[in-house]
Amino acid sequence: MGVIQRREERFAHLPVGVRLRDGLSYFASATPARFAVLIFVGLIVVFTVLLLLPGMTADGETTDFADALFTATSAICVTGLSTVNMATHWSELGHVIIVIATQLGAVGVLTLASLMGLVVSRRLGLRQRLLAAGDVNPMALNKGGSSDSPASRLGEVGGLLATVALSALVIEVGVALLLLPRILLEGVPILDALIEAFYFSAMAFTNTGFVFSESGLTPYLDDVWFLGLLMIGVVLGSIGFPVIYALSRNLKLRKIKSNRQARWSLHVKLTVVTTVILLVLGAAAFSILEADNGSTIGGRGPFHLGFQALFMSVMTRSGGFSTFDIGDLNNASLLVTDMLMFIGGGSASTAGGIKVTTIAILFIAAFAEARGNASMEAFERKIPGDVLRLAVSVVLWGATTVALSSIILLQLTGDSLDRVLFDVISAFGTAGLSTGFTASLEDPGKYVLTATMFMGRIGTVTLAAALAASQRRQLFTRAEERPIVG
Amino acid sequence: MGVIQRREERFAHLPVGVRLRDGLSYFASATPARFAVLIFVGLIVVFTVLLLLPGMTADGETTDFADALFTATSAICVTGLSTVNMATHWSELGHVIIVIATQLGAVGVLTLASLMGLVVSRRLGLRQRLLAAGDVNPMALNKGGSSDSPASRLGEVGGLLATVALSALVIEVGVALLLLPRILLEGVPILDALIEAFYFSAMAFTNTGFVFSESGLTPYLDDVWFLGLLMIGVVLGSIGFPVIYALSRNLKLRKIKSNRQARWSLHVKLTVVTTVILLVLGAAAFSILEADNGSTIGGRGPFHLGFQALFMSVMTRSGGFSTFDIGDLNNASLLVTDMLMFIGGGSASTAGGIKVTTIAILFIAAFAEARGNASMEAFERKIPGDVLRLAVSVVLWGATTVALSSIILLQLTGDSLDRVLFDVISAFGTAGLSTGFTASLEDPGKYVLTATMFMGRIGTVTLAAALAASQRRQLFTRAEERPIVG
Ligand SMILES: [K+]
Ligand SMILES: [K+]
């Protein structure tokens, strides 16, 4: 009550427009988690309605509600799973609408994640704090003044949104222009090729993985240039905005030959190192497990095997493209993919999953415990103990969501755990790869998987923010007691 | 070097016997994890050799090495999985040897777990500390003097071993005597009935789950008395020695009508509450998921459904008996069972898994994070932050073991994840339930599952002890930095 009154007094003399803006900003920063959920639910409702219009389908028929909701959610959450054939079911206009949805979803989640995970929750200046996490010298910027009035806060949100959108545009256009010549080589007319190049680039950077052309990836299955560009797009999208910012800052410093030492923040180092480790481990695992599987990537020489295994490994980060039928993978490879998709990509990125820093924190904790260190450390920095609690919360949330969704879908369909768990984790981690299970679902199953996609995309981000935001003061201390563990 | 020299000097004047005893005790307390592994490896080797003798089999043939090793490991680790028909493959003598192995394994692991988890690692007096964890008033006993000389330590180990063995004997004989009349009712001769009653009781309390009689559980499938007693035996075995000690102490206090308030330690409360929650959740899940499955527990009325669901739920704690073919469970029930078996039973118990307190700590951490509390709390006690690190380490170890074993076995056999994951987690959590996958294994697969049983039984216990023991002093502090998580 006191807070609200004070706010009323402070703003009473301002014009209505400013008050509305400040009110919105206040709501966004006071309950960032609820704000994020509202925005995403709103976007999904709008795009479901749009996709239900008759002009959206190739044959002019109205799409089933369950399929429209599923597609809208899959697009907004940049998941990439589909219950209809994405290339043939929708009209040209439908494709445009879906691409717009993925762009809004990707930029929206990038911005929200950046805002919430880093900033609003800790009650600090938005932009400073976000840039600090990706900055070359975090110690200096951390002490930068934070302007905390609602008006300046909304200005910061706007600035951040613009920066994120601009980065996305620059990368997507860059990748599209590099893809273009290769598509022209296939004899595609220039305008169609431009659209196709941009579609592929957007689906890669946003980590969606929809394929809109009827031939799909078929012409480029062995093309190192084409697949390589898709990989770069997916990695840049999945590594997270703070890391992209740090990399571009680094590039700038080098260009002007600055003498300032380019230092990466702990977050950037952790993300980059864990991502590289996961990519290498994934590629190695797929190379070994699929070496003899001629239906997927085996039996065509070591270069083909290694390159395709790396492509597959990158796509689990949560790109979602595939050069073969995922259902043909050995069951062991499906399990490896499950694990990689569950981990997902970087924080404040277009990728999903519990995030690479989360798993890194768990291993750092175990390592510290094994060495008997009193504190968790990485790259000569100490990591506060409450970060581990946050990581454990995110993993428990993810495991619970995946378990519940799997149990319900197993019981609904009677399908095998191999197929169900794969598509559920793909939905949760917004990876978008599928064994074919998703396409076989009836309406109740589609709704369960829609909910799983939403939980996976919104859950970890808002959970982390909501938890980080709710710092209570302890009024008294308890006697300490140690239970046995393990 | 310094430590060894000082020890030599201290003991030089003592007789050889005492020096040997003290040396053994010193080794046991200096490297408790290695000591435990050595003891278990030794026992497995001895019993493998014994089971390879021709007189051990019913038909007089020598057992295959892989099967003898598997059976010895399964018995010593009280897992209960088998690659041969336990009732028909072995001779009477073979059965006796296997029961002895399970008794040694159960009492051994109880003692070692109690010793290591609680005592040696923290460099405190053995018996005091152990009893404290199960005691009615831990605060008073924690301050009890600890006698720390090697000789008194070995005395304490002996005392503890005796206490554990006595408890095991009392409970096993008690349950056996209550089972006896029911077995006699089946018309079994008195001597055979006595042996059978003791076998069932021992297999329940040690949480092994082998069935030696050819008719198996068939005569008792609907018998509330018989199955109820098995459940009591399994729960008492799986809840852990500290809890049993607290319960018996409580009973004693009530008997003498003491005015001392009977207070349970945090460990006892956490274990009991989490066990009850898991039993109820498991029974509810099986009731719902199997209600329509006539091959398992469905279609025979609500009492049958509820009782059998509870029995199944108790057996996942890691009893391993089953009243129907596990392979007939719905896939959703298999996944639920996987989760329950992975968690397992109480610390310092005959049960396996990551232990109920471990999962409780994770949820308490997430709950504290959600409420924004600075410290983890349960039952009006504060839990030290390093307990969470230990819990995370144990879970990571378990997840890694299960994942690696599953990937290898999936690739070796090409079987489905439903069946492979179930038997792998059953081996890791020493539950002993099987979909039939274990019996279908070739030799390489048997070795992988043998290793999984060993890792599951010895791993969590020694890991927790080894980690808790390795407390290093920090020589300098690092600058603190907070990565983004989730
Ligand atoms: K995706
Ligand atoms: K068992």
Side-chain angles (χ1 to χ4, degrees):
Chain A
M1 288 298 285
V3 174
I4 291 170
Q5 274 174 347
R6 248 177 286 132
R7 189 162 61 88
E8 294 293 318
E9 282 162 32
R10 231 205 287 172
F11 299 147
H13 62 282
L14 295 172
V16 177
V18 175
R19 265 189 284 170
L20 190 73
R21 197 189 63 185
D22 287 356
L24 190 70
S25 161
Y26 181 84
F27 175 70
S29 61
T31 58
R34 239 175 295 169
F35 186 62
V37 171
L38 272 182
I39 285 188
F40 270 81
V41 168
L43 284 173
I44 289 171
V45 168
V46 168
F47 279 92
T48 304
V49 171
L50 284 176
L51 290 177
L52 280 172
L53 300 177
M56 293 296 165
T57 56
D59 60 5
E61 302 271 317
T62 305
T63 306
D64 284 341
F65 176 74
D67 293 323
L69 177 67
F70 192 96
T71 307
T73 309
S74 185
I76 291 289
C77 298
V78 295
T79 311
L81 286 173
S82 48
T83 52
V84 298
N85 185 323
M86 292 308 287
T88 58
H89 178 84
W90 306 105
S91 62
E92 295 279 310
L93 184 60
H95 288 167
V96 171
I97 293 292
I98 291 168
V99 172
I100 292 175
T102 61
Q103 294 290 324
L104 287 178
V107 170
V109 88
L110 272 179
T111 311
L112 280 172
S114 308
L115 284 182
M116 295 197 309
L118 275 168
V119 194
V120 183
S121 59
R122 295 291 174 199
R123 307 274 175 237
L124 291 170
L126 293 184
R127 194 183 173 117
Q128 283 86 338
R129 199 71 177 83
L130 170 75
L131 302 186
D135 199 28
V136 287
N137 189 352
M139 306 312 287
L141 265 171
N142 270 347
K143 284 166 193 157
S146 68
S147 46
D148 226 7
S149 84
S152 83
R153 240 188 235 161
L154 197 66
E156 285 169 6
V157 177
L160 181 63
L161 197 69
T163 315
V164 168
L166 188 71
S167 319
L169 193 71
V170 167
I171 295 175
E172 286 185 8
V173 168
V175 172
L177 288 180
L178 293 169
L179 285 173
L180 183 62
R182 181 63 189 82
I183 297 175
L184 288 173
L185 270 184
E186 289 293 308
V188 179
I190 176 82
L191 203 68
D192 290 355
L194 257 174
I195 293 175
E196 203 172 305
F198 176 72
Y199 277 4
F200 270 117
S201 169
M203 290 303 109
F205 178 74
T206 60
N207 272 236
T208 314
F210 283 140
V211 176
F212 296 112
S213 67
E214 266 187 72
S215 56
L217 277 176
T218 315
Y220 317 109
L221 290 187
D222 295 317
D223 195 302
V224 175
W225 176 259
F226 198 93
L227 298 185
L229 282 170
L230 287 188
M231 282 197 257
I232 289 172
V234 166
V235 167
L236 285 178
S238 73
I239 207 154
F241 184 68
V243 178
I244 291 179
Y245 185 82
L247 291 177
S248 67
R249 182 84 178 236
N250 238 22
L251 240 66
K252 245 184 251 168
L253 280 180
R254 260 197 219 155
K255 218 181 265 172
I256 60 168
K257 292 194 172 114
S258 162
N259 284 328
R260 263 179 69 187
Q261 223 187 336
R263 280 205 68 212
W264 284 0
S265 74
L266 175 61
H267 177 76
V268 172
K269 286 181 188 162
L270 266 189
T271 303
V272 171
V273 168
T274 314
T275 300
V276 169
I277 291 175
L278 288 176
L279 288 183
V280 171
L281 280 184
F286 292 129
S287 298
I288 295 167
L289 296 173
E290 296 295 316
D292 294 330
N293 190 347
S295 319
T296 57
I297 62 177
R300 291 180 56 197
F303 177 79
H304 182 83
L305 182 69
F307 182 74
Q308 294 287 338
L310 181 65
F311 185 80
M312 176 77 190
S313 183
V314 169
M315 291 312 138
T316 63
R317 201 64 330 93
S318 69
F321 292 112
S322 61
T323 54
F324 52 85
D325 187 346
I326 294 291
D328 287 335
L329 281 171
N330 289 327
N331 288 346
S333 304
L334 288 179
L335 182 57
V336 169
T337 313
D338 290 344
M339 293 159 64
L340 293 171
M341 292 191 301
F342 186 73
I343 295 172
S347 299
S349 77
T350 56
I354 58 167
K355 306 296 183 304
V356 292
T357 37
T358 306
I359 197 83
I361 293 292
L362 296 186
F363 275 95
I364 288 169
F367 189 73
E369 188 66 31
R371 297 198 56 188
N373 289 346
S375 62
M376 299 189 291
E377 284 173 13
F379 300 109
E380 302 187 338
R381 285 280 181 281
K382 186 174 147 187
I383 300 169
D386 61 323
V387 173
L388 177 60
R389 291 204 327 202
L390 193 53
V392 166
S393 307
V394 170
V395 173
L396 273 187
W397 158 266
T400 308
T401 305
V402 168
L404 279 181
S405 178
S406 298
I407 290 169
I408 296 172
L409 285 172
L410 280 168
Q411 192 75 355
L412 277 178
T413 65
D415 213 324
S416 76
L417 184 61
D418 304 87
R419 284 161 53 87
V420 174
L421 187 66
F422 189 95
D423 279 37
V424 164
I425 292 185
S426 179
F428 169 80
T430 72
L433 300 167
S434 174
T435 56
F437 172 75
T438 301
S440 76
L441 281 174
E442 315 254 325
D443 279 5
K446 286 176 192 170
Y447 292 127
V448 173
L449 217 52
T450 301
T452 309
M453 293 193 288
F454 186 76
M455 296 289 182
R457 175 80 281 188
I458 310 306
T460 51
V461 172
T462 54
L463 185 79
L467 295 187
S470 65
Q471 296 297 331
R472 283 206 321 170
R473 252 187 317 161
Q474 209 75 12
L475 296 178
F476 47 92
T477 53
R478 308 261 192 209
E480 204 170 85
E481 200 176 333
R482 181 181 300 274
I484 320 170
V485 148
Chain B
M1 285 300 285
V3 174
I4 292 170
Q5 275 174 348
R6 249 176 287 135
R7 189 164 62 88
E8 294 293 319
E9 281 162 31
R10 230 206 289 171
F11 298 147
H13 62 281
L14 295 170
V16 176
V18 176
R19 265 190 285 169
L20 189 71
R21 196 189 61 184
D22 286 356
L24 190 69
S25 161
Y26 182 83
F27 176 71
S29 61
T31 57
R34 239 175 295 171
F35 186 62
V37 172
L38 273 182
I39 285 188
F40 270 82
V41 169
L43 283 173
I44 289 171
V45 169
V46 168
F47 279 92
T48 303
V49 171
L50 284 175
L51 290 178
L52 281 171
L53 300 177
M56 294 296 165
T57 55
D59 60 6
E61 302 272 316
T62 305
T63 305
D64 284 340
F65 176 75
D67 292 324
L69 177 67
F70 192 97
T71 307
T73 308
S74 185
I76 292 290
C77 298
V78 296
T79 311
L81 284 173
S82 48
T83 52
V84 298
N85 185 323
M86 293 306 289
T88 57
H89 178 85
W90 306 104
S91 63
E92 295 278 311
L93 185 58
H95 287 166
V96 171
I97 293 292
I98 291 168
V99 172
I100 291 175
T102 62
Q103 294 290 325
L104 287 178
V107 170
V109 88
L110 271 179
T111 312
L112 280 172
S114 308
L115 284 183
M116 295 197 308
L118 274 170
V119 194
V120 183
S121 58
R122 296 290 174 197
R123 305 276 176 239
L124 291 170
L126 291 184
R127 193 180 174 119
Q128 283 86 337
R129 199 72 177 82
L130 171 73
L131 302 187
D135 199 28
V136 287
N137 189 351
M139 306 312 289
L141 266 170
N142 271 348
K143 285 166 195 156
S146 70
S147 46
D148 226 7
S149 85
S152 84
R153 240 189 239 162
L154 198 65
E156 283 169 7
V157 177
L160 182 64
L161 198 67
T163 315
V164 168
L166 189 71
S167 319
L169 194 69
V170 168
I171 295 174
E172 286 184 7
V173 168
V175 172
L177 288 179
L178 293 169
L179 285 172
L180 183 62
R182 182 62 189 81
I183 298 175
L184 288 172
L185 271 183
E186 289 294 307
V188 180
I190 177 81
L191 203 68
D192 290 354
L194 257 175
I195 293 175
E196 201 172 308
F198 177 72
Y199 277 4
F200 269 117
S201 168
M203 291 302 109
F205 178 74
T206 61
N207 271 236
T208 312
F210 283 141
V211 176
F212 296 114
S213 66
E214 266 185 74
S215 56
L217 278 176
T218 315
Y220 317 109
L221 290 188
D222 294 318
D223 195 302
V224 175
W225 175 259
F226 197 92
L227 298 185
L229 282 169
L230 287 188
M231 283 198 257
I232 289 172
V234 167
V235 167
L236 285 177
S238 73
I239 207 153
F241 185 69
V243 178
I244 292 180
Y245 185 82
L247 291 177
S248 67
R249 183 85 178 238
N250 238 24
L251 241 67
K252 243 184 251 168
L253 280 180
R254 259 195 222 159
K255 217 181 263 170
I256 59 169
K257 294 196 173 110
S258 161
N259 283 330
R260 260 178 70 189
Q261 224 189 335
R263 279 205 68 210
W264 283 0
S265 74
L266 175 61
H267 177 77
V268 172
K269 286 180 189 164
L270 265 189
T271 304
V272 170
V273 168
T274 314
T275 300
V276 169
I277 291 175
L278 288 176
L279 289 183
V280 171
L281 280 184
F286 293 128
S287 298
I288 295 167
L289 296 173
E290 297 296 315
D292 294 330
N293 190 347
S295 319
T296 58
I297 62 177
R300 291 178 57 197
F303 177 79
H304 181 84
L305 182 68
F307 182 74
Q308 295 288 337
L310 181 65
F311 185 79
M312 176 76 190
S313 183
V314 169
M315 291 312 139
T316 62
R317 203 61 334 91
S318 72
F321 293 111
S322 61
T323 53
F324 52 85
D325 187 345
I326 295 291
D328 287 335
L329 281 171
N330 289 328
N331 288 346
S333 304
L334 289 179
L335 182 58
V336 169
T337 313
D338 290 344
M339 293 160 64
L340 292 171
M341 292 191 301
F342 185 74
I343 296 172
S347 299
S349 77
T350 56
I354 58 168
K355 306 296 182 304
V356 292
T357 38
T358 306
I359 199 81
I361 293 292
L362 296 186
F363 275 95
I364 289 169
F367 189 71
E369 187 67 29
R371 296 198 57 190
N373 289 345
S375 61
M376 298 190 291
E377 285 174 11
F379 300 110
E380 302 187 338
R381 284 280 181 280
K382 186 176 146 185
I383 300 170
D386 61 321
V387 174
L388 177 59
R389 289 201 333 198
L390 192 53
V392 166
S393 307
V394 171
V395 173
L396 273 186
W397 157 267
T400 308
T401 305
V402 167
L404 278 181
S405 179
S406 297
I407 290 169
I408 295 173
L409 285 172
L410 280 169
Q411 193 75 354
L412 277 178
T413 64
D415 213 325
S416 76
L417 183 62
D418 304 86
R419 282 162 53 87
V420 174
L421 186 66
F422 190 96
D423 279 38
V424 165
I425 292 185
S426 179
F428 169 81
T430 73
L433 300 168
S434 174
T435 55
F437 172 75
T438 301
S440 77
L441 281 174
E442 314 255 322
D443 279 5
K446 287 176 190 168
Y447 293 127
V448 172
L449 217 52
T450 302
T452 309
M453 292 193 289
F454 185 76
M455 296 290 180
R457 175 81 282 186
I458 310 306
T460 51
V461 172
T462 55
L463 184 80
L467 294 188
S470 66
Q471 297 295 336
R472 285 204 321 169
R473 251 190 316 162
Q474 208 76 12
L475 295 179
F476 48 93
T477 52
R478 307 261 192 208
E480 206 168 85
E481 200 177 334
R482 181 183 300 274
I484 321 171
V485 148

